[in-house]
Amino acid sequence: MTDFMDKVSGSPFFLMAGPCAIENEDTALYIAETIVRTTQRLGIPYIFKGSYQKANRSRLDSFTGIGNEKALKILQRVGREFDVPTVTDVHETWQAEMAAEYVDVLQIPAFLCRQTDLIVAAAKTGRAVNIKKGQFLNAHAMRFAAEKVTETGNRQVMLTERGNSFGYGDLVVDFTNIPEMKAFGFPVIMDITHSLQQPNQSSGVTGGKPQQIETMAKAAIAVGADGLFIETHPEPEKALSDGANMLRLDLLEPMLERLIRLAEALKD
């Protein structure tokens, strides 16, 4: 990840993007190939994202994955075939070492950002650790989460903003969280698509507001986010997880072009 972070320092922002969950190899490779082609053309450092397992589901019959080893091997193939870093989330301590054999970044889900044993286990693998800020926390609290990683001797930490609970079925983003977390000295990512979720729906299926993805991304760039996290799929309506808040894949490239122009204008 050292080479990747060197690239980040010379670019307007980096991108962490991919499907919510690894559904099958063909879809993962298609999404990766499409985004790699776009980000290489635009000069945007890129990390492929895909969950090998979805542990945090509303309903028992919700899709959780195609099998741990099978999904992790797909992530590994994406990384090797397209020469990009990969990231997946871990939910239990024993999963950290397992997932670290296949990916470059271990992600701590927002609901688990206070789980000391989980963060320390991820840090001790030597992989970079991306910690999502809990929907119940302010930015200042994330300093302590980051320190749980650095105290192991691992300085590869990223922090991610993903909104705060607003009532029972919506989220709101306080964009001052981004510069406050940047002050800790670690890259800060804005999780665009999860910040637009509408959780706790009566159907047991999370809703979303994908029409606001670009607006949210522009605001994140404006306040200095180092990276953008975007879940995307060729056909979000057919996605097996979180389709309601994902960006349709063919909309990603033109949006990134506009975001680069915004970032360059702000820099000038």
Side-chain angles (χ1 to χ4, degrees), residues 86-114:
T86 55
V87 58
T88 198
D89 35 332
V90 292
H91 305 88
E92 300 183 53
T93 54
W94 65 268
Q95 295 176 342
E97 188 173 350
M98 174 186 70
E101 295 183 17
Y102 298 90
V103 301
D104 305 282
V105 184
L106 299 178
Q107 183 166 279
I108 307 299
F111 283 125
L112 301 177
C113 69
R114 287 173 53 89

PDB file of all heavy atoms in Angstrom, residues 86-114:
ATOM      1  N   THR A  86      -6.986  -4.224  -3.159  1.00  0.00           N
ATOM      2  CA  THR A  86      -8.363  -4.647  -2.910  1.00  0.00           C
ATOM      3  C   THR A  86      -8.680  -4.486  -1.429  1.00  0.00           C
ATOM      4  O   THR A  86      -7.795  -4.548  -0.575  1.00  0.00           O
ATOM      5  CB  THR A  86      -8.574  -6.107  -3.330  1.00  0.00           C
ATOM      6  OG1 THR A  86      -7.600  -6.926  -2.668  1.00  0.00           O
ATOM      7  CG2 THR A  86      -8.435  -6.272  -4.833  1.00  0.00           C
ATOM      8  N   VAL A  87      -9.965  -4.296  -1.147  1.00  0.00           N
ATOM      9  CA  VAL A  87     -10.414  -4.125   0.236  1.00  0.00           C
ATOM     10  C   VAL A  87     -11.677  -4.944   0.466  1.00  0.00           C
ATOM     11  O   VAL A  87     -12.525  -5.061  -0.422  1.00  0.00           O
ATOM     12  CB  VAL A  87     -10.678  -2.635   0.565  1.00  0.00           C
ATOM     13  CG1 VAL A  87     -11.711  -2.021  -0.368  1.00  0.00           C
ATOM     14  CG2 VAL A  87     -11.134  -2.462   2.024  1.00  0.00           C
ATOM     15  N   THR A  88     -11.773  -5.522   1.659  1.00  0.00           N
ATOM     16  CA  THR A  88     -12.992  -6.206   2.079  1.00  0.00           C
ATOM     17  C   THR A  88     -13.165  -5.987   3.563  1.00  0.00           C
ATOM     18  O   THR A  88     -12.217  -5.634   4.280  1.00  0.00           O
ATOM     19  CB  THR A  88     -12.947  -7.707   1.739  1.00  0.00           C
ATOM     20  OG1 THR A  88     -14.261  -8.249   1.762  1.00  0.00           O
ATOM     21  CG2 THR A  88     -12.059  -8.476   2.702  1.00  0.00           C
ATOM     22  N   ASP A  89     -14.385  -6.177   4.064  1.00  0.00           N
ATOM     23  CA  ASP A  89     -14.645  -5.949   5.475  1.00  0.00           C
ATOM     24  C   ASP A  89     -14.596  -7.249   6.261  1.00  0.00           C
ATOM     25  O   ASP A  89     -14.911  -8.318   5.745  1.00  0.00           O
ATOM     26  CB  ASP A  89     -15.985  -5.230   5.699  1.00  0.00           C
ATOM     27  CG  ASP A  89     -17.065  -5.626   4.697  1.00  0.00           C
ATOM     28  OD1 ASP A  89     -16.728  -6.008   3.567  1.00  0.00           O
ATOM     29  OD2 ASP A  89     -18.253  -5.550   5.046  1.00  0.00           O
ATOM     30  N   VAL A  90     -14.189  -7.112   7.525  1.00  0.00           N
ATOM     31  CA  VAL A  90     -14.139  -8.249   8.439  1.00  0.00           C
ATOM     32  C   VAL A  90     -15.013  -7.934   9.648  1.00  0.00           C
ATOM     33  O   VAL A  90     -15.126  -6.786  10.068  1.00  0.00           O
ATOM     34  CB  VAL A  90     -12.697  -8.584   8.881  1.00  0.00           C
ATOM     35  CG1 VAL A  90     -11.895  -9.123   7.700  1.00  0.00           C
ATOM     36  CG2 VAL A  90     -11.996  -7.351   9.464  1.00  0.00           C
ATOM     37  N   HIS A  91     -15.622  -8.970  10.207  1.00  0.00           N
ATOM     38  CA  HIS A  91     -16.589  -8.775  11.283  1.00  0.00           C
ATOM     39  C   HIS A  91     -16.202  -9.454  12.588  1.00  0.00           C
ATOM     40  O   HIS A  91     -16.735  -9.110  13.643  1.00  0.00           O
ATOM     41  CB  HIS A  91     -17.960  -9.296  10.841  1.00  0.00           C
ATOM     42  CG  HIS A  91     -18.439  -8.699   9.559  1.00  0.00           C
ATOM     43  ND1 HIS A  91     -18.118  -9.229   8.325  1.00  0.00           N
ATOM     44  CD2 HIS A  91     -19.184  -7.589   9.316  1.00  0.00           C
ATOM     45  CE1 HIS A  91     -18.671  -8.482   7.376  1.00  0.00           C
ATOM     46  NE2 HIS A  91     -19.312  -7.498   7.933  1.00  0.00           N
ATOM     47  N   GLU A  92     -15.294 -10.422  12.527  1.00  0.00           N
ATOM     48  CA  GLU A  92     -14.849 -11.126  13.712  1.00  0.00           C
ATOM     49  C   GLU A  92     -13.331 -11.239  13.687  1.00  0.00           C
ATOM     50  O   GLU A  92     -12.714 -11.224  12.615  1.00  0.00           O
ATOM     51  CB  GLU A  92     -15.486 -12.516  13.786  1.00  0.00           C
ATOM     52  CG  GLU A  92     -17.016 -12.483  13.848  1.00  0.00           C
ATOM     53  CD  GLU A  92     -17.606 -13.874  14.005  1.00  0.00           C
ATOM     54  OE1 GLU A  92     -17.178 -14.586  14.937  1.00  0.00           O
ATOM     55  OE2 GLU A  92     -18.466 -14.247  13.191  1.00  0.00           O
ATOM     56  N   THR A  93     -12.731 -11.373  14.864  1.00  0.00           N
ATOM     57  CA  THR A  93     -11.270 -11.364  14.952  1.00  0.00           C
ATOM     58  C   THR A  93     -10.625 -12.442  14.100  1.00  0.00           C
ATOM     59  O   THR A  93      -9.599 -12.212  13.458  1.00  0.00           O
ATOM     60  CB  THR A  93     -10.816 -11.522  16.416  1.00  0.00           C
ATOM     61  OG1 THR A  93     -11.434 -12.700  16.974  1.00  0.00           O
ATOM     62  CG2 THR A  93     -11.235 -10.322  17.250  1.00  0.00           C
ATOM     63  N   TRP A  94     -11.212 -13.647  14.077  1.00  0.00           N
ATOM     64  CA  TRP A  94     -10.598 -14.755  13.346  1.00  0.00           C
ATOM     65  C   TRP A  94     -10.598 -14.517  11.838  1.00  0.00           C
ATOM     66  O   TRP A  94      -9.801 -15.113  11.100  1.00  0.00           O
ATOM     67  CB  TRP A  94     -11.297 -16.074  13.662  1.00  0.00           C
ATOM     68  CG  TRP A  94     -12.733 -16.157  13.213  1.00  0.00           C
ATOM     69  CD1 TRP A  94     -13.836 -15.838  13.945  1.00  0.00           C
ATOM     70  CD2 TRP A  94     -13.213 -16.593  11.927  1.00  0.00           C
ATOM     71  NE1 TRP A  94     -14.984 -16.034  13.201  1.00  0.00           N
ATOM     72  CE2 TRP A  94     -14.625 -16.497  11.968  1.00  0.00           C
ATOM     73  CE3 TRP A  94     -12.594 -17.042  10.765  1.00  0.00           C
ATOM     74  CZ2 TRP A  94     -15.425 -16.840  10.875  1.00  0.00           C
ATOM     75  CZ3 TRP A  94     -13.397 -17.392   9.678  1.00  0.00           C
ATOM     76  CH2 TRP A  94     -14.789 -17.283   9.740  1.00  0.00           C
ATOM     77  N   GLN A  95     -11.476 -13.631  11.364  1.00  0.00           N
ATOM     78  CA  GLN A  95     -11.564 -13.369   9.932  1.00  0.00           C
ATOM     79  C   GLN A  95     -10.408 -12.502   9.421  1.00  0.00           C
ATOM     80  O   GLN A  95     -10.093 -12.527   8.230  1.00  0.00           O
ATOM     81  CB  GLN A  95     -12.888 -12.684   9.600  1.00  0.00           C
ATOM     82  CG  GLN A  95     -14.109 -13.539   9.862  1.00  0.00           C
ATOM     83  CD  GLN A  95     -15.402 -12.796   9.602  1.00  0.00           C
ATOM     84  OE1 GLN A  95     -15.441 -11.562   9.546  1.00  0.00           O
ATOM     85  NE2 GLN A  95     -16.482 -13.537   9.430  1.00  0.00           N
ATOM     86  N   ALA A  96      -9.786 -11.732  10.311  1.00  0.00           N
ATOM     87  CA  ALA A  96      -8.754 -10.791   9.878  1.00  0.00           C
ATOM     88  C   ALA A  96      -7.585 -11.505   9.204  1.00  0.00           C
ATOM     89  O   ALA A  96      -7.177 -11.156   8.088  1.00  0.00           O
ATOM     90  CB  ALA A  96      -8.267  -9.968  11.069  1.00  0.00           C
ATOM     91  N   GLU A  97      -7.028 -12.498   9.867  1.00  0.00           N
ATOM     92  CA  GLU A  97      -5.892 -13.228   9.300  1.00  0.00           C
ATOM     93  C   GLU A  97      -6.288 -13.957   8.030  1.00  0.00           C
ATOM     94  O   GLU A  97      -5.519 -13.999   7.061  1.00  0.00           O
ATOM     95  CB  GLU A  97      -5.344 -14.208  10.335  1.00  0.00           C
ATOM     96  CG  GLU A  97      -4.049 -14.874   9.903  1.00  0.00           C
ATOM     97  CD  GLU A  97      -3.437 -15.712  11.011  1.00  0.00           C
ATOM     98  OE1 GLU A  97      -3.901 -15.621  12.161  1.00  0.00           O
ATOM     99  OE2 GLU A  97      -2.483 -16.456  10.711  1.00  0.00           O
ATOM    100  N   MET A  98      -7.486 -14.516   8.003  1.00  0.00           N
ATOM    101  CA  MET A  98      -7.958 -15.223   6.816  1.00  0.00           C
ATOM    102  C   MET A  98      -8.056 -14.272   5.625  1.00  0.00           C
ATOM    103  O   MET A  98      -7.515 -14.547   4.548  1.00  0.00           O
ATOM    104  CB  MET A  98      -9.330 -15.846   7.089  1.00  0.00           C
ATOM    105  CG  MET A  98      -9.973 -16.499   5.863  1.00  0.00           C
ATOM    106  SD  MET A  98     -11.660 -17.067   6.174  1.00  0.00           S
ATOM    107  CE  MET A  98     -12.533 -15.495   6.338  1.00  0.00           C
ATOM    108  N   ALA A  99      -8.734 -13.142   5.795  1.00  0.00           N
ATOM    109  CA  ALA A  99      -8.938 -12.210   4.693  1.00  0.00           C
ATOM    110  C   ALA A  99      -7.631 -11.551   4.250  1.00  0.00           C
ATOM    111  O   ALA A  99      -7.452 -11.250   3.065  1.00  0.00           O
ATOM    112  CB  ALA A  99      -9.952 -11.143   5.092  1.00  0.00           C
ATOM    113  N   ALA A 100      -6.714 -11.355   5.195  1.00  0.00           N
ATOM    114  CA  ALA A 100      -5.445 -10.699   4.882  1.00  0.00           C
ATOM    115  C   ALA A 100      -4.610 -11.484   3.882  1.00  0.00           C
ATOM    116  O   ALA A 100      -3.725 -10.930   3.222  1.00  0.00           O
ATOM    117  CB  ALA A 100      -4.647 -10.457   6.160  1.00  0.00           C
ATOM    118  N   GLU A 101      -4.877 -12.772   3.751  1.00  0.00           N
ATOM    119  CA  GLU A 101      -4.142 -13.587   2.779  1.00  0.00           C
ATOM    120  C   GLU A 101      -4.552 -13.258   1.343  1.00  0.00           C
ATOM    121  O   GLU A 101      -3.843 -13.605   0.398  1.00  0.00           O
ATOM    122  CB  GLU A 101      -4.383 -15.073   3.046  1.00  0.00           C
ATOM    123  CG  GLU A 101      -3.829 -15.567   4.377  1.00  0.00           C
ATOM    124  CD  GLU A 101      -4.031 -17.061   4.547  1.00  0.00           C
ATOM    125  OE1 GLU A 101      -4.284 -17.747   3.536  1.00  0.00           O
ATOM    126  OE2 GLU A 101      -3.925 -17.551   5.691  1.00  0.00           O
ATOM    127  N   TYR A 102      -5.690 -12.580   1.180  1.00  0.00           N
ATOM    128  CA  TYR A 102      -6.235 -12.363  -0.150  1.00  0.00           C
ATOM    129  C   TYR A 102      -6.336 -10.886  -0.556  1.00  0.00           C
ATOM    130  O   TYR A 102      -6.395 -10.590  -1.747  1.00  0.00           O
ATOM    131  CB  TYR A 102      -7.643 -12.969  -0.236  1.00  0.00           C
ATOM    132  CG  TYR A 102      -7.691 -14.458  -0.017  1.00  0.00           C
ATOM    133  CD1 TYR A 102      -7.871 -14.991   1.260  1.00  0.00           C
ATOM    134  CD2 TYR A 102      -7.553 -15.356  -1.081  1.00  0.00           C
ATOM    135  CE1 TYR A 102      -7.923 -16.359   1.466  1.00  0.00           C
ATOM    136  CE2 TYR A 102      -7.603 -16.725  -0.883  1.00  0.00           C
ATOM    137  CZ  TYR A 102      -7.784 -17.221   0.397  1.00  0.00           C
ATOM    138  OH  TYR A 102      -7.831 -18.590   0.593  1.00  0.00           O
ATOM    139  N   VAL A 103      -6.419  -9.966   0.406  1.00  0.00           N
ATOM    140  CA  VAL A 103      -6.651  -8.557   0.086  1.00  0.00           C
ATOM    141  C   VAL A 103      -5.581  -7.667   0.716  1.00  0.00           C
ATOM    142  O   VAL A 103      -4.808  -8.104   1.570  1.00  0.00           O
ATOM    143  CB  VAL A 103      -8.048  -8.085   0.547  1.00  0.00           C
ATOM    144  CG1 VAL A 103      -9.143  -8.907  -0.114  1.00  0.00           C
ATOM    145  CG2 VAL A 103      -8.165  -8.144   2.075  1.00  0.00           C
ATOM    146  N   ASP A 104      -5.573  -6.399   0.305  1.00  0.00           N
ATOM    147  CA  ASP A 104      -4.558  -5.446   0.772  1.00  0.00           C
ATOM    148  C   ASP A 104      -5.033  -4.559   1.906  1.00  0.00           C
ATOM    149  O   ASP A 104      -4.220  -4.018   2.663  1.00  0.00           O
ATOM    150  CB  ASP A 104      -4.139  -4.555  -0.408  1.00  0.00           C
ATOM    151  CG  ASP A 104      -3.666  -5.366  -1.595  1.00  0.00           C
ATOM    152  OD1 ASP A 104      -2.518  -5.838  -1.557  1.00  0.00           O
ATOM    153  OD2 ASP A 104      -4.444  -5.540  -2.558  1.00  0.00           O
ATOM    154  N   VAL A 105      -6.338  -4.357   2.004  1.00  0.00           N
ATOM    155  CA  VAL A 105      -6.911  -3.488   3.027  1.00  0.00           C
ATOM    156  C   VAL A 105      -8.037  -4.227   3.731  1.00  0.00           C
ATOM    157  O   VAL A 105      -8.904  -4.814   3.078  1.00  0.00           O
ATOM    158  CB  VAL A 105      -7.471  -2.184   2.417  1.00  0.00           C
ATOM    159  CG1 VAL A 105      -7.977  -1.243   3.518  1.00  0.00           C
ATOM    160  CG2 VAL A 105      -6.426  -1.481   1.556  1.00  0.00           C
ATOM    161  N   LEU A 106      -8.028  -4.185   5.055  1.00  0.00           N
ATOM    162  CA  LEU A 106      -9.108  -4.752   5.852  1.00  0.00           C
ATOM    163  C   LEU A 106      -9.978  -3.608   6.364  1.00  0.00           C
ATOM    164  O   LEU A 106      -9.464  -2.645   6.927  1.00  0.00           O
ATOM    165  CB  LEU A 106      -8.558  -5.561   7.029  1.00  0.00           C
ATOM    166  CG  LEU A 106      -7.686  -6.762   6.664  1.00  0.00           C
ATOM    167  CD1 LEU A 106      -7.170  -7.440   7.927  1.00  0.00           C
ATOM    168  CD2 LEU A 106      -8.441  -7.757   5.791  1.00  0.00           C
ATOM    169  N   GLN A 107     -11.267  -3.743   6.168  1.00  0.00           N
ATOM    170  CA  GLN A 107     -12.191  -2.679   6.539  1.00  0.00           C
ATOM    171  C   GLN A 107     -12.995  -3.072   7.779  1.00  0.00           C
ATOM    172  O   GLN A 107     -13.519  -4.184   7.859  1.00  0.00           O
ATOM    173  CB  GLN A 107     -13.145  -2.399   5.374  1.00  0.00           C
ATOM    174  CG  GLN A 107     -14.116  -1.258   5.610  1.00  0.00           C
ATOM    175  CD  GLN A 107     -14.772  -0.848   4.317  1.00  0.00           C
ATOM    176  OE1 GLN A 107     -14.207  -0.103   3.527  1.00  0.00           O
ATOM    177  NE2 GLN A 107     -15.963  -1.350   4.075  1.00  0.00           N
ATOM    178  N   ILE A 108     -13.075  -2.133   8.716  1.00  0.00           N
ATOM    179  CA  ILE A 108     -13.861  -2.346   9.922  1.00  0.00           C
ATOM    180  C   ILE A 108     -15.217  -1.674   9.719  1.00  0.00           C
ATOM    181  O   ILE A 108     -15.287  -0.457   9.542  1.00  0.00           O
ATOM    182  CB  ILE A 108     -13.164  -1.751  11.164  1.00  0.00           C
ATOM    183  CG1 ILE A 108     -11.722  -2.260  11.277  1.00  0.00           C
ATOM    184  CG2 ILE A 108     -13.974  -2.056  12.414  1.00  0.00           C
ATOM    185  CD1 ILE A 108     -11.588  -3.749  11.434  1.00  0.00           C
ATOM    186  N   PRO A 109     -16.309  -2.431   9.724  1.00  0.00           N
ATOM    187  CA  PRO A 109     -17.631  -1.842   9.513  1.00  0.00           C
ATOM    188  C   PRO A 109     -17.971  -0.806  10.584  1.00  0.00           C
ATOM    189  O   PRO A 109     -17.486  -0.879  11.720  1.00  0.00           O
ATOM    190  CB  PRO A 109     -18.566  -3.047   9.590  1.00  0.00           C
ATOM    191  CG  PRO A 109     -17.704  -4.230   9.268  1.00  0.00           C
ATOM    192  CD  PRO A 109     -16.365  -3.900   9.852  1.00  0.00           C
ATOM    193  N   ALA A 110     -18.833   0.136  10.221  1.00  0.00           N
ATOM    194  CA  ALA A 110     -19.182   1.235  11.122  1.00  0.00           C
ATOM    195  C   ALA A 110     -19.735   0.746  12.453  1.00  0.00           C
ATOM    196  O   ALA A 110     -19.374   1.265  13.518  1.00  0.00           O
ATOM    197  CB  ALA A 110     -20.181   2.166  10.433  1.00  0.00           C
ATOM    198  N   PHE A 111     -20.607  -0.257  12.418  1.00  0.00           N
ATOM    199  CA  PHE A 111     -21.198  -0.755  13.651  1.00  0.00           C
ATOM    200  C   PHE A 111     -20.157  -1.359  14.587  1.00  0.00           C
ATOM    201  O   PHE A 111     -20.406  -1.527  15.780  1.00  0.00           O
ATOM    202  CB  PHE A 111     -22.262  -1.820  13.342  1.00  0.00           C
ATOM    203  CG  PHE A 111     -23.565  -1.253  12.865  1.00  0.00           C
ATOM    204  CD1 PHE A 111     -24.112  -1.661  11.655  1.00  0.00           C
ATOM    205  CD2 PHE A 111     -24.254  -0.315  13.615  1.00  0.00           C
ATOM    206  CE1 PHE A 111     -25.328  -1.143  11.208  1.00  0.00           C
ATOM    207  CE2 PHE A 111     -25.462   0.213  13.183  1.00  0.00           C
ATOM    208  CZ  PHE A 111     -26.005  -0.198  11.975  1.00  0.00           C
ATOM    209  N   LEU A 112     -18.977  -1.703  14.055  1.00  0.00           N
ATOM    210  CA  LEU A 112     -17.960  -2.405  14.843  1.00  0.00           C
ATOM    211  C   LEU A 112     -16.732  -1.555  15.128  1.00  0.00           C
ATOM    212  O   LEU A 112     -15.712  -2.068  15.579  1.00  0.00           O
ATOM    213  CB  LEU A 112     -17.544  -3.686  14.114  1.00  0.00           C
ATOM    214  CG  LEU A 112     -18.669  -4.690  13.827  1.00  0.00           C
ATOM    215  CD1 LEU A 112     -18.129  -5.877  13.035  1.00  0.00           C
ATOM    216  CD2 LEU A 112     -19.307  -5.158  15.120  1.00  0.00           C
ATOM    217  N   CYS A 113     -16.815  -0.248  14.892  1.00  0.00           N
ATOM    218  CA  CYS A 113     -15.623   0.602  14.986  1.00  0.00           C
ATOM    219  C   CYS A 113     -15.108   0.772  16.410  1.00  0.00           C
ATOM    220  O   CYS A 113     -14.018   1.306  16.600  1.00  0.00           O
ATOM    221  CB  CYS A 113     -15.888   1.963  14.345  1.00  0.00           C
ATOM    222  SG  CYS A 113     -17.060   2.993  15.265  1.00  0.00           S
ATOM    223  N   ARG A 114     -15.859   0.331  17.404  1.00  0.00           N
ATOM    224  CA  ARG A 114     -15.389   0.388  18.794  1.00  0.00           C
ATOM    225  C   ARG A 114     -14.886  -0.969  19.293  1.00  0.00           C
ATOM    226  O   ARG A 114     -14.478  -1.096  20.456  1.00  0.00           O
ATOM    227  CB  ARG A 114     -16.508   0.891  19.719  1.00  0.00           C
ATOM    228  CG  ARG A 114     -16.797   2.370  19.575  1.00  0.00           C
ATOM    229  CD  ARG A 114     -18.033   2.784  20.376  1.00  0.00           C
ATOM    230  NE  ARG A 114     -17.947   2.375  21.783  1.00  0.00           N
ATOM    231  CZ  ARG A 114     -17.406   3.117  22.759  1.00  0.00           C
ATOM    232  NH1 ARG A 114     -16.897   4.306  22.469  1.00  0.00           N
ATOM    233  NH2 ARG A 114     -17.382   2.682  24.000  1.00  0.00           N
TER     234      ARG A 114
END
